[in-house]
Amino acid sequence: MPVVIVDGQEIEIGADERLNCIEAARRAGKEIPHYCWHPGLSVVASCRMCLIETGQRDAATGKVSMVPKLVPGCQTPVKDGTVIVTESDLVKESRARVEEALLIDHPIDCPICDKAGECLLQDYHFEHGQAERRADLHAFTSRRRDVGPTVTLFVDRCIMCTRCVRFTREVSGEAELMVTSRGAKEEIDVFPGFPLDNKLAGNVVDLCPVGALGDKDFLYQQRVWFLKREANVCGGCAAGCSIHTEHNQDTVYRIKPRENMHVNKWWICDEGRYGWHHLHDPARLLEAGRRELTTSRHATPEFKAVEWSDVVTRLRDDLKAAGRLAVAVSPMLTVEEAWMLCAVARSIDPQAYLAVGHVPSTAADETFPGGFTIRGEKCPNRLGVAGVIALFDAAVHTWTDLVAHVREGHADAAWITAGYPTDPTSTPWIDAETAAAFAELKCLVVQDLFDSPLAKHATWRLPAAGFAERAGTWVNVAHRAQSFDKAIRAPAGVWPEGRLFWNMLGRRGLYDAVAVRHQIAESSATFAALAGEMPATGVDLRLQQLAST
Amino acid sequence: MKPSDPGINWLEEKPLGLAERLYLPLFLQGLTTTARHMVSPKLTVNYPETRPTVGNPLIYRGVHRLNRDEEGRVKCVACFLCATACPAHCIDIVATESPWPDREKYPESFQIDELRCIFCGMCEEACPVDAIELTSLLDLTGKSREEMIFDKEKLLSVYDMTKDSEPMKSAELGGTL
Ligand code: SF4
Ligand code: SF4
Ligand code: SF4
Ligand code: FES
């Protein structure tokens, strides 16, 4: 095994690992400050913040010969015997000088900069900079430049690391951003008429180590130090990107990608990034309602609010009284919720017809030059739900099967879980014609985020939870299961599906997704991998199945 | 912290000496204090008929004001540092892009719950542009709780009211103006 010596500490690295000094030092617990280097982008070694001393230890004699000048750690690969010195006076002085140079033409408008609190320039200056700057410059306002529909550039805050430029060239592939002018006059810009407008554009804001690139959606909404983050999974498409939901007082403010080398690496698409606004849409359904029997079924919906504790019992009674039950298990539900729903349904009607709910999808998958793929299937858990249904039934029906089943009159009652983020401005997930198939049922339960043509025929209209309000596990298109906890509480009046199903199963206390997950893992081979503690990056269900057969 | 913690320095109470046990010297000591106060000048005033005198109004911690810049606009840049520093969590700011070309961010709304405030002055301390200051106004009354939540206009009007008697902290106090 090759051995690298970091500040006198010997660490072993893998024989075929290709690490640079920053990565190797990190293994030894030493952080080498860096701006321009990012593991997902090409190396330019232009910021000079990562300068360190290196050398080579002679394997035979053990004598160390040092390179006489400082080298950029990001660009220097390590091999057996590489010596890295990250804390010598020379290195420290170099860092202080880089910081000083960067601050000479920086506006230092931290009080109004959205990046303050998570800015590398601030952090590094605090750690490696010098207390006073020698140049007598006065603070000035940063010029602002519109570079695209979602992103704005504060020109003078930029430290010219070119991460953003490399991202648009190497990962998103549209190459909208460029460097204009040279030397001290260098600036980031777009070519007139070609704004930064691609489906991954928002990532440049995360990449920017300083506050130069700002997200218009988040601009001035909240100071970052007020935000709390929860490791979640994006529900926007079947890719199931790992995200951080950043929130404060039950309000989501932004979504950030969470590094997961098995899924999304460091990126997310803009659809997912801005796909949380429906959570706080005033049009959301916020109370459980049952249509009063006195009003005509075909009149305008008139739901009377029902207490949730009553829903638990009355819903069961209604469905039981109606007879043959058909259930659509929404691919927006988590594995735990789906499992409990199937269990509830089968306890009401042992022959209940179980189908995977409507799977919203757009065109084909879209892959970007950097390998990032946005899936055409616009729901996070089709595979998980299908896997759960397979535990209860030999046949896994689809939504189309279920609609036909109901049309042909094989069902007296239907329970449709939906929870699709189709707010009133977008096309409802179900059209009036399909919804009409459910018109003649004795009892129709619709559980959804927003009103839809289907709710017109509903006996019970129950609110659903949004993605950040759920707890459980989603299985993405590549069979990777990721578990997460809820980030925010559902709005007042809304019981997330998990809580309702948990109570309908007669279980006591609060809904505990982890307990349900363990129960599922114990009782089935498909989900055996979900046992125990789940790693933050999830587990591959297929690998586990291969291993167990 | 447990009693066994090595960080605790346990002290033994000293045994009473003769003077303490006799009780009389301590009694006289107490009486002297009382007597001294009987002849010293009175500090209490008949508030509100008589107004108390405020030592240095520039450092007194009374009702807040929001200062204006040279053009009469609110000086605050909505950085939230006061709200962050405030131990009573009584400052509520909604920030937005400013309508002026020379300024980037400003508070769309700025509210202080004066009933919740503990008048510690942390907000004034935290402000990078000296926009928020505590004045020497000390009688703060209102008919309802809502009335005591001061909004931006009210806070700016406090500035207009006090700007002549209590100039903005500038040169000698290290202000930014
Ligand atoms: S805008 Fe940000 S990411 Fe782009 S070069 Fe400047 S500092 Fe780097
Ligand atoms: S004086 Fe203290 S308690 Fe009152 S608003 Fe300022 S920081 Fe908050
Ligand atoms: S600290 Fe000053 S500038 Fe910042 S929000 Fe408070 S009053 Fe405004
Ligand atoms: S990170 Fe190595 S030079 Fe910028």
Side-chain angles (χ1 to χ4, degrees):
Chain A
M1 284 281 192
V3 170
V4 180
I5 304 107
V6 182
D7 292 340
Q9 184 187 343
E10 296 198 359
I11 52 155
E12 281 192 4
I13 61 169
D16 45 6
E17 265 184 317
R18 294 169 56 84
L19 301 179
N20 64 20
C21 292
I22 298 180
E23 291 165 306
R26 205 174 262 166
R27 300 245 177 121
K30 301 278 181 178
E31 190 65 29
I32 299 178
H34 57 274
Y35 291 113
C36 67
W37 180 73
H38 185 279
L41 302 172
S42 60
V43 178
V44 289
S46 65
C47 74
R48 315 314 273 182
M49 191 63 195
C50 67
L51 291 183
I52 43 157
E53 291 192 77
T54 56
Q56 183 66 34
R57 184 172 67 180
D58 193 288
T61 62
K63 208 169 127 348
V64 174
S65 47
M66 298 298 288
V67 177
K69 59 174 194 141
L70 298 177
V71 298
C74 60
Q75 205 187 25
T76 311
V78 294
K79 59 174 195 275
D80 189 36
T82 302
V83 176
I84 303 175
V85 179
T86 71
E87 278 168 0
S88 68
D89 288 343
L90 200 58
V91 172
K92 284 186 187 155
E93 197 191 329
S94 147
R95 287 174 186 167
R97 293 227 173 126
V98 171
E99 277 297 310
E100 187 178 22
L102 288 176
L103 287 187
I104 279 183
D105 55 357
H106 188 87
I108 321 195
D109 51 352
C110 307
I112 55 161
C113 176
D114 261 357
K115 198 78 169 193
E118 55 177 14
C119 170
L120 286 186
L121 192 60
Q122 274 187 340
D123 295 352
Y124 288 164
H125 192 74
F126 191 67
E127 216 182 320
H128 308 290
Q130 48 201 21
E132 292 194 359
R133 66 172 175 185
R134 291 175 289 174
D136 182 23
L137 296 172
H138 292 284
F140 54 94
T141 351
S142 184
R143 284 168 297 149
R144 190 163 157 186
R145 181 177 292 160
D146 216 19
V147 288
T150 53
V151 177
T152 181
L153 172 69
F154 295 89
V155 184
D156 301 304
R157 287 184 195 153
C158 173
I159 59 162
M160 294 313 296
C161 69
T162 71
R163 278 187 184 189
C164 54
V165 175
R166 279 174 285 147
F167 177 84
T168 58
R169 294 194 180 156
E170 296 160 16
V171 183
S172 63
E174 306 271 346
E176 298 101 332
L177 293 177
M178 60 175 181
V179 178
T180 61
S181 306
R182 287 292 172 268
K185 298 232 172 348
E186 266 186 335
E187 276 173 19
I188 299 296
D189 206 346
V190 289
F191 196 76
F194 294 89
L196 173 65
D197 188 8
N198 63 60
K199 290 184 177 170
L200 301 182
N203 290 297
V204 299
V205 178
D206 307 337
L207 277 174
C208 184
V210 298
L213 289 166
D215 193 329
K216 287 187 193 165
D217 189 58
F218 180 67
L219 200 64
Y220 306 148
Q221 293 306 301
Q222 187 76 275
R223 297 316 306 247
V224 296
W225 55 83
F226 292 131
L227 297 174
K228 293 171 251 329
R229 49 165 49 174
E230 180 68 40
N232 273 147
V233 176
C234 176
C237 80
C241 292
S242 300
I243 55 168
H244 275 127
T245 307
E246 304 205 343
H247 59 96
N248 185 16
Q249 298 182 337
D250 289 329
T251 306
V252 174
Y253 284 95
R254 63 175 183 185
I255 302 274
K256 288 262 174 190
R258 172 163 61 94
E259 181 178 331
N260 186 345
M261 294 313 283
H262 304 286
V263 186
N264 52 319
K265 296 191 175 164
W266 307 271
W267 329 118
I268 51 170
C269 72
D270 280 5
E271 215 173 301
R273 183 181 300 269
Y274 306 121
W276 53 268
H277 289 276
H278 67 272
L279 293 174
H280 306 302
D281 195 309
R284 257 183 83 169
L285 298 178
L286 293 178
E287 74 182 10
R290 186 182 189 281
R291 195 189 300 279
E292 280 306 293
L293 287 176
T294 45
T295 52
S296 152
R297 277 287 215 79
H298 302 286
T300 42
E302 230 177 84
F303 293 98
K304 198 161 165 282
V306 182
E307 278 294 320
W308 279 100
S309 47
D310 294 337
V311 175
V312 173
T313 48
R314 287 179 61 192
L315 186 60
R316 177 179 285 275
D317 296 343
D318 271 8
L319 289 173
K320 205 155 198 139
R324 297 166 300 166
L325 176 63
V327 180
V329 187
S330 170
M332 307 301 288
L333 295 180
T334 60
V335 166
E336 291 82 347
E337 289 166 333
W339 189 80
M340 288 193 291
L341 174 61
C342 292
V344 172
R346 282 293 162 92
S347 74
I348 293 171
D349 174 8
Q351 256 77 54
Y353 183 90
L354 306 173
V356 179
H358 167 67
V359 175
S361 57
T362 56
D365 296 355
E366 196 176 344
T367 303
F368 294 83
F372 188 88
T373 307
I374 301 177
R375 303 290 172 171
E377 189 178 300
K378 295 296 175 201
C379 58
N381 197 26
R382 181 180 56 80
L383 283 179
V385 166
V388 166
I389 294 180
L391 302 179
F392 287 84
D393 211 322
V396 179
H397 305 286
T398 64
W399 169 247
T400 333
D401 297 340
L402 181 130
V403 175
H405 180 80
V406 172
R407 268 216 177 96
E408 286 156 19
H410 298 307
D412 304 307
W415 186 348
I416 313 296
T417 53
Y420 304 108
T422 45
D423 58 50
T425 54
S426 42
T427 352
W429 62 272
I430 182 168
D431 54 36
E433 201 259 324
T434 319
F438 297 87
E440 299 308 323
L441 291 171
K442 285 196 206 136
C443 180
L444 173 66
V445 184
V446 178
Q447 208 160 358
D448 208 347
L449 278 173
F450 296 97
D451 219 347
S452 70
L454 189 63
K456 198 162 134 266
H457 308 293
T459 324
W460 283 90
R461 190 180 64 182
L462 304 175
F467 71 95
E469 297 152 12
R470 292 182 194 286
T473 307
W474 276 340
V475 183
N476 79 357
V477 72
H479 298 264
R480 178 158 285 270
Q482 299 184 75
S483 293
F484 50 90
D485 199 356
K486 66 174 194 298
I488 56 170
R489 286 176 301 180
V494 176
W495 271 26
E497 287 87 337
R499 183 168 174 195
L500 174 67
F501 304 156
W502 175 274
N503 280 282
M504 287 185 76
L505 281 176
R507 299 180 73 153
R508 310 185 70 111
L510 297 175
Y511 162 48
D512 180 358
V514 178
V516 179
R517 169 159 63 79
H518 288 162
Q519 204 178 343
I520 301 172
E522 264 165 41
S523 61
S524 84
T526 336
F527 294 110
L530 299 186
E533 189 97 346
M534 288 280 279
T537 51
V539 293
D540 191 327
L541 291 183
R542 265 176 325 183
L543 278 184
Q544 294 287 332
Q545 283 159 29
L546 278 179
S548 63
T549 50
Chain B
M1 213 179 227
K2 293 199 192 88
S4 58
D5 195 292
I8 301 177
N9 191 10
W10 291 94
L11 296 176
E12 283 294 324
E13 203 180 337
K14 267 193 266 155
L16 294 184
L18 181 67
E20 279 99 359
R21 269 184 292 163
L22 270 181
Y23 172 62
L24 213 58
L26 286 179
F27 175 71
L28 284 177
Q29 203 182 338
L31 265 189
T32 323
T33 308
T34 315
R36 210 176 42 236
H37 279 291
M38 279 166 80
V39 295
S40 65
K42 278 203 195 76
L43 289 176
T44 41
V45 292
N46 285 324
Y47 179 81
E49 286 79 20
T50 323
R51 306 282 308 173
T53 43
V54 166
N56 180 356
L58 289 183
I59 57 170
Y60 192 83
R61 302 202 301 262
V63 179
H64 307 79
R65 72 179 190 194
L66 271 185
N67 293 339
R68 294 182 188 274
D69 64 7
E70 318 81 70
E71 293 174 41
R73 311 171 296 193
V74 60
K75 216 176 165 203
C76 167
V77 297
C79 68
F80 285 72
L81 290 187
C82 52
T84 307
C86 177
H89 300 309
C90 60
I91 306 181
D92 187 75
I93 305 168
V94 179
T96 189
E97 285 171 50
S98 91
W100 315 296
D102 60 329
R103 289 184 40 188
E104 181 57 38
K105 190 182 178 189
Y106 93 120
E108 188 172 36
S109 118
F110 193 110
Q111 292 186 332
I112 302 182
D113 188 340
E114 296 286 346
L115 286 183
R116 220 166 139 171
C117 173
I118 56 167
F119 299 97
C120 62
M122 294 288 211
C123 46
E124 178 170 359
E125 198 94 7
C127 184
V129 295
D130 293 345
I132 192 168
E133 282 179 341
L134 302 184
T135 64
S136 65
L137 297 184
L138 48 87
D139 35 7
L140 190 60
T141 52
K143 295 202 195 80
S144 64
R145 288 180 185 278
E146 290 69 41
E147 215 174 281
M148 299 304 285
I149 298 177
F150 284 17
D151 62 6
K152 193 169 79 181
E153 275 59 48
K154 178 117 185 179
L155 291 164
L156 284 169
S157 74
V158 177
Y159 169 75
D160 296 335
M161 222 162 84
T162 55
K163 66 169 187 272
D164 299 323
S165 54
E166 297 170 33
M168 242 191 279
K169 283 172 197 169
S170 38
E172 72 275 17
L173 283 167
T176 53
L177 198 79

